[in-house]
Amino acid sequence: MTLLVDTSVWSLAFRRSSAPPVPEVDALRNALEGNDLVVTTGLILQELLQGFAGPRARRDIITRFQALPLIAPDRQDHIEAAEVRNVCRRAGVQIGTIDALLAQLCLRHGLTLLTTDQDFTHAASHCALKLWR
């Protein structure tokens, strides 16, 4: 399985105190230690760097993320992400612009999204987004 790990899970995993006992953090740890491939995108890296203060945290995040394949959205991804957001909105589900783009990257690349963000759970009932369970 190839996972795109959302900022919500990385944030829990990178906390200074020990990571909380959340199944998604355990799944991330198992994926990194096992046979699953973990990929990321610049948006997730940027969100993490914006959320953690200090040069040491910044260095640690950049160093750890250098080992992960980076996928980048193209023009068509942005077009399709707008459609994902519009389909969800018509169904009464609010999903942010970045979340719609992350969902689209998962759809395009056949990725499973590992997240604790319930917005994706709601969105997945209106598009073919695969969520880790």
Side-chain angles (χ1 to χ4, degrees):
M1 173 177 5
T2 303
L3 294 173
L4 178 65
V5 181
D6 183 41
T7 307
S8 61
V9 177
W10 286 113
S11 293
L12 290 170
F14 283 151
R15 290 216 171 132
R16 285 185 196 164
S17 59
S18 63
V22 181
E24 291 83 1
V25 173
D26 291 338
L28 171 58
R29 187 175 297 111
N30 291 337
L32 291 170
E33 294 172 353
N35 294 326
D36 292 329
L37 177 62
V38 175
V39 300
T40 195
T41 188
L43 293 167
I44 292 169
L45 176 59
Q46 181 179 341
E47 284 182 328
L48 281 170
L49 291 170
Q50 291 170 174
F52 284 86
R56 182 174 180 199
R58 182 178 190 279
R59 271 193 316 274
D60 288 348
I61 290 168
I62 291 170
T63 299
R64 290 178 185 191
F65 269 63
Q66 285 177 338
L68 301 177
L70 186 77
I71 57 173
D74 64 15
R75 181 185 311 265
Q76 193 62 36
D77 287 317
H78 290 282
I79 293 167
E80 297 300 326
E83 184 60 20
V84 167
R85 190 168 189 272
N86 290 338
V87 165
C88 288
R89 188 182 57 209
R90 283 191 295 273
V93 173
Q94 293 298 322
I95 181 171
T97 300
I98 290 175
D99 289 351
L101 186 55
L102 295 178
Q104 169 54 29
L105 288 173
C106 288
L107 294 169
R108 175 175 142 205
H109 294 281
L111 308 172
T112 300
L113 183 63
L114 179 58
T115 185
T116 61
D117 185 338
Q118 292 302 306
D119 289 346
F120 288 111
T121 303
H122 301 301
S125 46
H126 303 287
C127 65
L129 178 62
K130 291 186 293 185
L131 299 177
W132 178 88
R133 302 227 187 266

Coordinates of all heavy atoms in Angstrom, one line a residue, residues 45-128:
L45 N 4.5 19.3 3.8 CA 5.8 19.7 4.4 C 5.7 21.2 4.8 O 6.1 21.5 5.9 CB 6.9 19.6 3.3 CG 8.3 20.1 3.7 CD1 8.8 19.4 5.0 CD2 9.3 19.9 2.5
Q46 N 5.1 22.0 4.0 CA 4.9 23.4 4.4 C 4.1 23.6 5.6 O 4.4 24.4 6.5 CB 4.3 24.2 3.2 CG 4.2 25.7 3.5 CD 3.6 26.5 2.3 OE1 3.6 26.0 1.2 NE2 3.1 27.6 2.6
E47 N 2.9 22.9 5.7 CA 2.1 23.0 6.8 C 2.8 22.6 8.1 O 2.7 23.2 9.1 CB 0.8 22.1 6.7 CG -0.2 22.7 5.7 CD -1.5 21.9 5.6 OE1 -1.4 20.6 5.7 OE2 -2.5 22.5 5.4
L48 N 3.6 21.5 8.0 CA 4.4 21.1 9.2 C 5.4 22.2 9.6 O 5.5 22.5 10.8 CB 5.1 19.8 8.9 CG 4.2 18.6 9.0 CD1 4.9 17.3 8.5 CD2 3.7 18.3 10.4
L49 N 6.1 22.7 8.6 CA 7.1 23.7 9.0 C 6.5 25.0 9.6 O 7.1 25.6 10.4 CB 8.0 24.0 7.7 CG 8.9 22.9 7.2 CD1 9.5 23.2 5.9 CD2 10.0 22.6 8.3
Q50 N 5.3 25.3 9.1 CA 4.6 26.5 9.7 C 4.1 26.2 11.1 O 3.9 27.1 11.8 CB 3.4 26.8 8.8 CG 3.9 27.4 7.4 CD 2.7 27.5 6.4 OE1 2.9 28.0 5.4 NE2 1.5 27.0 6.7
G51 N 3.9 24.9 11.4 CA 3.3 24.6 12.7 C 4.3 24.3 13.8 O 3.9 24.3 15.0
F52 N 5.5 24.1 13.5 CA 6.5 23.8 14.5 C 7.5 24.9 14.6 O 8.0 25.4 13.6 CB 7.2 22.5 14.2 CG 6.4 21.3 14.5 CD1 5.5 20.8 13.6 CD2 6.5 20.7 15.8 CE1 4.7 19.7 13.9 CE2 5.7 19.6 16.1 CZ 4.8 19.1 15.2
A53 N 7.8 25.4 15.8 CA 8.7 26.5 16.0 C 10.2 26.0 16.2 O 10.4 25.0 16.8 CB 8.2 27.4 17.1
G54 N 11.1 26.9 15.9 CA 12.5 26.6 16.2 C 13.3 26.0 15.1 O 12.8 25.2 14.3
P55 N 14.6 26.3 15.1 CA 15.5 25.8 14.0 C 15.7 24.3 14.1 O 15.8 23.7 13.1 CB 16.8 26.6 14.2 CG 16.7 27.2 15.6 CD 15.2 27.3 15.9
R56 N 15.7 23.8 15.3 CA 15.9 22.3 15.5 C 14.8 21.5 14.9 O 14.9 20.6 14.2 CB 16.2 22.0 16.9 CG 16.5 20.5 17.1 CD 16.8 20.1 18.5 NE 17.1 18.7 18.5 CZ 17.1 18.0 19.6 NH1 16.9 18.6 20.8 NH2 17.4 16.7 19.6
A57 N 13.5 22.0 15.2 CA 12.3 21.3 14.7 C 12.3 21.4 13.2 O 12.0 20.4 12.5 CB 11.1 21.9 15.3
R58 N 12.7 22.5 12.7 CA 12.7 22.8 11.2 C 13.7 21.8 10.6 O 13.4 21.2 9.6 CB 13.1 24.2 11.0 CG 13.1 24.6 9.5 CD 13.4 26.1 9.3 NE 13.2 26.5 8.0 CZ 14.1 26.3 7.0 NH1 15.2 25.7 7.2 NH2 13.8 26.8 5.8
R59 N 14.9 21.7 11.1 CA 15.9 20.8 10.6 C 15.5 19.4 10.6 O 15.7 18.6 9.7 CB 17.2 21.0 11.3 CG 18.2 22.0 10.8 CD 19.6 21.9 11.5 NE 19.6 21.7 12.9 CZ 19.5 22.6 13.8 NH1 19.4 23.9 13.5 NH2 19.5 22.3 15.1
D60 N 14.9 19.0 11.8 CA 14.4 17.6 11.9 C 13.4 17.2 10.9 O 13.4 16.2 10.2 CB 13.9 17.3 13.3 CG 15.0 17.3 14.4 OD1 16.2 17.3 14.0 OD2 14.6 17.4 15.6
I61 N 12.4 18.1 10.7 CA 11.4 17.8 9.7 C 11.9 17.8 8.3 O 11.6 16.8 7.5 CB 10.2 18.9 9.8 CG1 9.5 18.7 11.1 CG2 9.3 18.8 8.6 CD1 8.6 19.9 11.5
I62 N 12.8 18.7 7.9 CA 13.3 18.7 6.6 C 14.2 17.5 6.3 O 14.1 16.8 5.3 CB 14.2 20.0 6.4 CG1 13.2 21.2 6.3 CG2 15.0 19.9 5.1 CD1 13.9 22.6 6.3
T63 N 15.0 17.1 7.3 CA 15.8 15.9 7.2 C 15.0 14.7 7.0 O 15.2 13.8 6.2 CB 16.7 15.8 8.4 OG1 17.6 16.9 8.5 CG2 17.6 14.5 8.3
R64 N 13.9 14.5 7.9 CA 13.1 13.3 7.8 C 12.3 13.2 6.5 O 12.1 12.2 5.9 CB 12.1 13.3 9.0 CG 12.8 13.0 10.3 CD 11.9 13.0 11.4 NE 12.6 12.9 12.7 CZ 12.1 12.6 13.8 NH1 10.8 12.5 13.9 NH2 12.8 12.5 14.9
F65 N 11.9 14.4 6.0 CA 11.1 14.4 4.8 C 11.9 14.2 3.5 O 11.4 13.9 2.4 CB 10.2 15.7 4.7 CG 8.9 15.5 5.3 CD1 8.8 15.2 6.7 CD2 7.7 15.6 4.5 CE1 7.5 15.1 7.2 CE2 6.5 15.5 5.1 CZ 6.4 15.2 6.5
Q66 N 13.2 14.4 3.6 CA 14.1 14.2 2.4 C 14.1 12.7 2.0 O 14.4 12.4 0.8 CB 15.5 14.6 2.7 CG 15.6 16.1 2.7 CD 17.0 16.6 3.0 OE1 17.8 15.9 3.7 NE2 17.3 17.9 2.6
A67 N 13.8 11.8 2.9 CA 13.8 10.4 2.6 C 12.5 10.0 1.9 O 12.4 8.9 1.4 CB 13.9 9.6 3.9
L68 N 11.5 10.8 1.9 CA 10.2 10.5 1.3 C 10.0 11.0 -0.1 O 10.4 12.1 -0.4 CB 9.0 11.1 2.1 CG 9.0 10.7 3.6 CD1 7.8 11.5 4.3 CD2 8.8 9.2 3.8
P69 N 9.5 10.1 -1.0 CA 9.2 10.6 -2.4 C 8.2 11.8 -2.3 O 7.2 11.7 -1.5 CB 8.5 9.4 -3.1 CG 9.0 8.2 -2.3 CD 9.1 8.7 -0.9
L70 N 8.4 12.8 -3.1 CA 7.6 14.0 -3.1 C 6.8 14.0 -4.4 O 7.3 13.9 -5.5 CB 8.5 15.2 -3.1 CG 7.8 16.6 -2.9 CD1 7.3 16.8 -1.5 CD2 8.7 17.7 -3.3
I71 N 5.5 14.1 -4.3 CA 4.6 14.2 -5.4 C 4.1 15.6 -5.5 O 3.9 16.3 -4.5 CB 3.4 13.2 -5.4 CG1 2.6 13.4 -4.1 CG2 3.9 11.8 -5.5 CD1 1.3 12.6 -4.1
A72 N 4.0 16.1 -6.8 CA 3.7 17.5 -7.0 C 2.4 17.6 -7.8 O 2.3 16.9 -8.8 CB 4.8 18.3 -7.6
P73 N 1.5 18.5 -7.4 CA 0.3 18.6 -8.3 C 0.6 19.4 -9.6 O 1.5 20.2 -9.6 CB -0.6 19.5 -7.4 CG 0.3 20.2 -6.4 CD 1.5 19.3 -6.3
D74 N -0.1 19.0 -10.6 CA 0.0 19.7 -11.9 C -1.2 20.5 -12.1 O -2.2 20.5 -11.3 CB 0.4 18.8 -13.0 CG -0.7 17.7 -13.3 OD1 -1.8 17.9 -12.9 OD2 -0.4 16.8 -14.0
R75 N -1.3 21.1 -13.3 CA -2.5 22.0 -13.6 C -3.8 21.2 -13.5 O -4.8 21.6 -13.0 CB -2.3 22.5 -15.0 CG -3.5 23.4 -15.5 CD -3.3 23.9 -16.9 NE -2.0 24.4 -17.2 CZ -1.6 25.7 -17.1 NH1 -2.5 26.6 -16.9 NH2 -0.4 26.1 -17.4
Q76 N -3.8 19.9 -14.1 CA -5.0 19.1 -14.1 C -5.4 18.7 -12.7 O -6.6 18.7 -12.4 CB -4.8 17.9 -14.9 CG -6.1 17.1 -15.2 CD -7.0 17.9 -16.0 OE1 -6.7 18.7 -16.9 NE2 -8.3 17.8 -15.8
D77 N -4.4 18.5 -11.8 CA -4.8 18.3 -10.4 C -5.6 19.4 -9.8 O -6.5 19.2 -9.0 CB -3.5 18.0 -9.5 CG -2.9 16.6 -9.9 OD1 -3.7 15.6 -10.0 OD2 -1.7 16.6 -10.0
H78 N -5.2 20.6 -10.0 CA -5.9 21.8 -9.5 C -7.3 21.9 -10.1 O -8.2 22.2 -9.4 CB -5.1 23.1 -9.8 CG -3.8 23.2 -9.0 ND1 -3.8 23.5 -7.7 CD2 -2.5 22.9 -9.3 CE1 -2.6 23.5 -7.2 NE2 -1.8 23.2 -8.2
I79 N -7.4 21.5 -11.4 CA -8.7 21.5 -12.0 C -9.6 20.5 -11.4 O -10.8 20.7 -11.0 CB -8.6 21.3 -13.5 CG1 -7.9 22.6 -14.1 CG2 -10.0 21.1 -14.2 CD1 -7.4 22.3 -15.6
E80 N -9.1 19.3 -11.2 CA -9.9 18.2 -10.6 C -10.1 18.4 -9.1 O -11.2 18.0 -8.6 CB -9.1 16.8 -10.8 CG -9.0 16.5 -12.3 CD -10.3 16.3 -13.0 OE1 -11.3 15.9 -12.4 OE2 -10.4 16.6 -14.2
A81 N -9.2 19.0 -8.4 CA -9.4 19.3 -7.0 C -10.6 20.3 -6.8 O -11.4 20.2 -5.9 CB -8.2 19.9 -6.4
A82 N -10.7 21.3 -7.7 CA -11.9 22.2 -7.7 C -13.2 21.4 -7.9 O -14.2 21.7 -7.2 CB -11.7 23.2 -8.8
E83 N -13.1 20.4 -8.7 CA -14.3 19.6 -8.9 C -14.6 18.7 -7.7 O -15.8 18.6 -7.3 CB -14.2 18.7 -10.2 CG -15.4 17.9 -10.5 CD -16.7 18.7 -10.8 OE1 -16.5 19.9 -11.1 OE2 -17.8 18.2 -10.7
V84 N -13.6 18.2 -7.1 CA -13.8 17.4 -5.8 C -14.5 18.3 -4.8 O -15.5 18.0 -4.1 CB -12.5 16.9 -5.2 CG1 -12.6 16.4 -3.8 CG2 -11.9 15.8 -6.1
R85 N -14.0 19.5 -4.6 CA -14.5 20.5 -3.7 C -16.0 20.9 -4.0 O -16.8 20.9 -3.2 CB -13.7 21.8 -3.6 CG -14.0 22.7 -2.5 CD -12.9 23.7 -2.3 NE -13.2 24.5 -1.1 CZ -14.0 25.6 -1.1 NH1 -14.6 26.0 -2.1 NH2 -14.1 26.2 0.1
N86 N -16.2 21.1 -5.3 CA -17.6 21.4 -5.7 C -18.6 20.3 -5.5 O -19.7 20.5 -5.1 CB -17.6 21.9 -7.2 CG -16.9 23.2 -7.4 OD1 -16.8 24.0 -6.5 ND2 -16.5 23.4 -8.6
V87 N -18.2 19.0 -5.8 CA -19.0 17.9 -5.6 C -19.4 17.8 -4.1 O -20.5 17.5 -3.7 CB -18.3 16.6 -6.1 CG1 -19.0 15.3 -5.6 CG2 -18.3 16.6 -7.6
C88 N -18.4 17.9 -3.3 CA -18.6 17.9 -1.8 C -19.5 19.0 -1.4 O -20.5 18.7 -0.6 CB -17.3 17.9 -1.1 SG -16.3 16.4 -1.2
R89 N -19.3 20.2 -1.9 CA -20.1 21.3 -1.4 C -21.6 21.1 -1.8 O -22.5 21.4 -1.1 CB -19.5 22.6 -2.0 CG -20.3 23.9 -1.5 CD -19.8 25.1 -2.1 NE -19.9 25.0 -3.5 CZ -19.2 25.6 -4.4 NH1 -18.2 26.4 -4.1 NH2 -19.4 25.5 -5.7
R90 N -21.8 20.6 -3.1 CA -23.2 20.3 -3.5 C -23.8 19.3 -2.6 O -25.0 19.3 -2.5 CB -23.2 19.9 -5.0 CG -23.0 21.1 -5.9 CD -23.3 20.7 -7.4 NE -22.4 19.7 -7.9 CZ -21.3 20.0 -8.5 NH1 -20.9 21.2 -8.7 NH2 -20.5 19.0 -9.0
A91 N -23.0 18.4 -2.0 CA -23.6 17.4 -1.1 C -23.7 17.9 0.3 O -24.0 17.1 1.2 CB -22.7 16.1 -1.2
G92 N -23.3 19.2 0.6 CA -23.4 19.7 1.9 C -22.1 19.5 2.7 O -22.2 19.7 4.0
V93 N -21.1 19.1 2.1 CA -19.8 18.8 2.8 C -18.8 19.9 2.5 O -18.5 20.1 1.3 CB -19.2 17.4 2.4 CG1 -17.9 17.2 3.0 CG2 -20.2 16.3 2.8
Q94 N -18.3 20.6 3.5 CA -17.3 21.6 3.3 C -15.9 21.0 3.4 O -15.6 20.3 4.4 CB -17.4 22.7 4.4 CG -18.7 23.5 4.3 CD -18.8 24.2 3.0 OE1 -17.8 24.8 2.5 NE2 -20.0 24.3 2.4
I95 N -15.1 21.2 2.4 CA -13.7 20.7 2.4 C -12.9 21.9 1.9 O -13.2 22.6 0.9 CB -13.5 19.4 1.5 CG1 -12.1 19.0 1.5 CG2 -14.1 19.6 0.1 CD1 -11.9 17.6 0.9
G96 N -11.8 22.1 2.6 CA -10.9 23.2 2.2 C -10.2 23.0 0.9 O -10.1 21.9 0.4
T97 N -9.6 24.1 0.4 CA -8.9 24.1 -0.9 C -7.7 23.1 -0.8 O -7.5 22.3 -1.7 CB -8.4 25.5 -1.2 OG1 -9.6 26.3 -1.3 CG2 -7.6 25.5 -2.5
I98 N -6.9 23.2 0.2 CA -5.7 22.3 0.3 C -6.2 20.8 0.5 O -5.6 19.9 -0.1 CB -4.8 22.7 1.5 CG1 -4.1 24.1 1.1 CG2 -3.8 21.7 1.8 CD1 -3.3 24.7 2.2
D99 N -7.2 20.6 1.3 CA -7.7 19.2 1.5 C -8.2 18.7 0.2 O -8.0 17.5 -0.1 CB -8.8 19.2 2.6 CG -8.2 19.4 4.0 OD1 -7.0 19.4 4.1 OD2 -9.0 19.6 4.9
A100 N -8.9 19.5 -0.6 CA -9.4 19.0 -1.9 C -8.2 18.6 -2.8 O -8.3 17.6 -3.5 CB -10.3 20.1 -2.5
L101 N -7.2 19.4 -2.8 CA -6.0 19.1 -3.6 C -5.3 17.8 -3.1 O -4.9 17.0 -3.9 CB -5.0 20.3 -3.6 CG -3.8 20.1 -4.5 CD1 -4.2 19.8 -6.0 CD2 -3.0 21.4 -4.4
L102 N -5.2 17.6 -1.8 CA -4.6 16.4 -1.2 C -5.5 15.2 -1.7 O -5.0 14.1 -2.0 CB -4.5 16.5 0.3 CG -3.5 17.5 0.8 CD1 -3.5 17.5 2.4 CD2 -2.1 17.3 0.3
A103 N -6.8 15.3 -1.6 CA -7.7 14.3 -2.0 C -7.5 13.9 -3.5 O -7.4 12.8 -3.9 CB -9.2 14.6 -1.8
Q104 N -7.3 15.0 -4.3 CA -7.1 14.8 -5.7 C -5.8 14.1 -6.0 O -5.7 13.2 -6.9 CB -7.2 16.1 -6.5 CG -6.7 16.0 -7.9 CD -7.4 15.0 -8.8 OE1 -8.6 14.7 -8.5 NE2 -6.7 14.4 -9.8
L105 N -4.8 14.4 -5.3 CA -3.5 13.7 -5.4 C -3.6 12.3 -5.1 O -3.0 11.4 -5.8 CB -2.4 14.4 -4.6 CG -1.9 15.8 -5.1 CD1 -1.0 16.4 -4.1 CD2 -1.3 15.7 -6.4
C106 N -4.4 11.9 -4.1 CA -4.6 10.5 -3.7 C -5.4 9.8 -4.9 O -5.0 8.7 -5.2 CB -5.4 10.4 -2.4 SG -4.5 10.8 -1.0
L107 N -6.4 10.5 -5.4 CA -7.2 9.9 -6.5 C -6.3 9.6 -7.7 O -6.3 8.6 -8.3 CB -8.3 10.8 -6.8 CG -9.4 11.0 -5.8 CD1 -10.4 12.1 -6.1 CD2 -10.1 9.6 -5.6
R108 N -5.5 10.6 -8.1 CA -4.7 10.5 -9.3 C -3.6 9.4 -9.2 O -3.3 8.7 -10.1 CB -4.0 11.8 -9.6 CG -3.0 11.7 -10.8 CD -2.5 13.1 -11.1 NE -1.1 13.0 -11.5 CZ -0.2 14.0 -11.4 NH1 -0.5 15.1 -11.0 NH2 1.0 13.8 -11.8
H109 N -3.0 9.3 -8.0 CA -1.8 8.4 -7.8 C -2.2 7.1 -7.2 O -1.4 6.3 -6.9 CB -0.8 9.1 -7.0 CG -0.1 10.3 -7.7 ND1 0.8 10.1 -8.7 CD2 -0.3 11.6 -7.5 CE1 1.2 11.3 -9.1 NE2 0.5 12.2 -8.4
G110 N -3.5 6.9 -6.9 CA -4.0 5.6 -6.3 C -3.5 5.5 -4.9 O -3.1 4.4 -4.5
L111 N -3.4 6.6 -4.2 CA -2.8 6.6 -2.8 C -4.0 6.4 -1.8 O -5.1 6.8 -2.0 CB -2.1 7.9 -2.5 CG -1.1 8.3 -3.5 CD1 -0.6 9.7 -3.2 CD2 0.1 7.3 -3.5
T112 N -3.6 5.8 -0.6 CA -4.5 5.8 0.5 C -4.1 6.9 1.4 O -2.9 7.1 1.8 CB -4.3 4.4 1.2 OG1 -4.7 3.3 0.3 CG2 -5.2 4.3 2.5
L113 N -5.1 7.7 1.9 CA -4.8 8.8 2.8 C -4.9 8.3 4.2 O -5.9 7.7 4.7 CB -5.8 9.9 2.5 CG -5.6 11.2 3.4 CD1 -4.3 11.9 3.0 CD2 -6.8 12.1 3.1
L114 N -3.8 8.6 5.0 CA -3.7 8.4 6.4 C -4.0 9.7 7.1 O -3.1 10.6 7.0 CB -2.4 7.8 6.8 CG -2.1 7.4 8.2 CD1 -3.2 6.5 8.8 CD2 -0.7 6.9 8.4
T115 N -5.1 9.8 7.8 CA -5.4 11.1 8.4 C -6.3 10.9 9.6 O -6.9 9.9 9.8 CB -6.2 12.0 7.4 OG1 -6.5 13.3 7.9 CG2 -7.5 11.3 7.0
T116 N -6.3 11.9 10.5 CA -7.2 12.0 11.6 C -8.3 13.1 11.4 O -9.1 13.3 12.2 CB -6.5 12.3 12.9 OG1 -5.8 13.5 12.9 CG2 -5.5 11.2 13.3
D117 N -8.2 13.7 10.3 CA -9.1 14.8 9.9 C -10.5 14.3 9.4 O -10.5 13.7 8.3 CB -8.5 15.7 8.9 CG -9.2 17.0 8.6 OD1 -10.5 17.0 8.8 OD2 -8.6 17.9 8.1
Q118 N -11.5 14.5 10.1 CA -12.8 14.0 9.8 C -13.4 14.6 8.5 O -14.3 14.0 7.9 CB -13.8 14.2 10.9 CG -13.5 13.3 12.1 CD -13.5 11.8 11.8 OE1 -14.4 11.3 11.2 NE2 -12.3 11.1 12.1
D119 N -12.9 15.7 8.1 CA -13.4 16.3 6.8 C -13.1 15.4 5.7 O -13.9 15.3 4.7 CB -12.6 17.7 6.5 CG -13.1 18.8 7.5 OD1 -14.1 18.6 8.1 OD2 -12.4 19.8 7.5
F120 N -12.0 14.6 5.7 CA -11.7 13.7 4.6 C -12.7 12.5 4.7 O -13.1 11.9 3.6 CB -10.3 13.2 4.7 CG -9.3 14.2 4.3 CD1 -8.4 14.7 5.3 CD2 -9.2 14.6 3.0 CE1 -7.5 15.7 4.9 CE2 -8.2 15.5 2.6 CZ -7.4 16.1 3.6
T121 N -13.1 12.1 5.9 CA -14.1 11.0 6.0 C -15.4 11.4 5.3 O -16.0 10.6 4.6 CB -14.4 10.7 7.5 OG1 -13.1 10.3 8.1 CG2 -15.3 9.5 7.6
H122 N -15.8 12.6 5.6 CA -17.1 13.1 4.9 C -16.9 13.2 3.4 O -17.8 12.9 2.6 CB -17.5 14.5 5.5 CG -17.7 14.4 7.0 ND1 -18.7 13.6 7.6 CD2 -17.1 15.1 8.0 CE1 -18.6 13.8 8.9 NE2 -17.7 14.7 9.2
A123 N -15.7 13.7 3.0 CA -15.5 13.9 1.5 C -15.4 12.5 0.8 O -15.9 12.4 -0.3 CB -14.2 14.7 1.3
A124 N -14.9 11.5 1.5 CA -14.7 10.2 0.9 C -16.1 9.6 0.5 O -16.1 8.7 -0.3 CB -13.9 9.3 1.8
S125 N -17.1 10.0 1.2 CA -18.4 9.4 0.8 C -19.0 10.1 -0.5 O -20.1 9.7 -0.9 CB -19.4 9.6 2.0 OG -19.4 10.8 2.6
H126 N -18.3 11.1 -1.0 CA -18.8 11.7 -2.2 C -17.8 11.6 -3.4 O -18.0 12.2 -4.5 CB -19.1 13.2 -1.9 CG -20.1 13.3 -0.8 ND1 -21.5 13.0 -1.1 CD2 -20.0 13.6 0.4 CE1 -22.1 13.2 0.1 NE2 -21.3 13.5 1.0
C127 N -16.6 11.0 -3.2 CA -15.7 10.7 -4.2 C -14.9 9.4 -3.9 O -15.2 8.8 -2.9 CB -14.7 11.9 -4.3 SG -13.6 12.2 -2.9
A128 N -14.1 9.0 -4.8 CA -13.4 7.7 -4.6 C -12.2 7.7 -3.7 O -11.3 6.8 -3.8 CB -13.1 7.2 -6.0

